[in-house]
Amino acid sequence: MTCFTLRLTGDGLPAGAREVPLSELVSTFLRASAPRAYCDACLAVAVREPVEVVHRTVRGLTELAQFTRKTGRCRTCRSTKRIVTRAAPATLARDGPVGLAPAPLR
């Protein structure tokens, strides 16, 4: 099986031309497309920025535990490699948010 990786060089916007910080753009894209996961190259194409810049941005987002990086299949190119996806949100208790006592039964 042949694996293709798209390389972008100089295709992104200048930092001053972007309306929102790149970290916010990447974060918003990943949250909106959750639970799908993307490799850095495909994520770079989606946000129209160079791969190296997106890689550094994703590394910063994974340090904040909002997103996770693991080996898996990219949604776009279908290659098995390092991908990033939104971290699983804390699940709520069956009776309500954690830390609250359940309502009494009537």
Side-chain angles (χ1 to χ4, degrees):
M1 184 164 146
T2 305
C3 175
F4 297 97
T5 302
L6 180 61
R7 296 178 187 263
L8 296 178
T9 54
D11 191 39
L13 295 170
R18 193 178 309 116
E19 301 264 337
V20 297
L22 182 57
S23 59
E24 186 176 330
L25 181 64
V26 170
S27 174
T28 301
F29 178 81
L30 290 171
R31 286 178 202 276
S33 60
R36 298 181 195 111
Y38 299 90
C39 67
D40 289 347
C42 292
L43 185 57
V45 170
V47 297
R48 301 182 69 194
E49 292 293 333
V51 176
E52 296 81 16
V53 177
V54 170
H55 176 73
R56 284 193 303 268
T57 302
V58 167
R59 192 175 350 164
L61 292 173
T62 57
E63 289 174 359
L64 300 174
Q66 298 175 14
F67 302 92
T68 58
R69 199 180 262 296
K70 59 186 176 183
T71 301
R73 181 166 288 186
C74 174
R75 170 71 177 191
T76 304
C77 68
R78 299 293 204 209
S79 295
T80 300
K81 52 183 152 181
R82 299 282 291 168
I83 56 171
V84 63
T85 187
R86 181 178 173 198
T91 57
L92 296 176
R94 219 168 75 172
D95 294 324
V98 175
L100 295 178
L105 297 175
R106 294 182 191 224

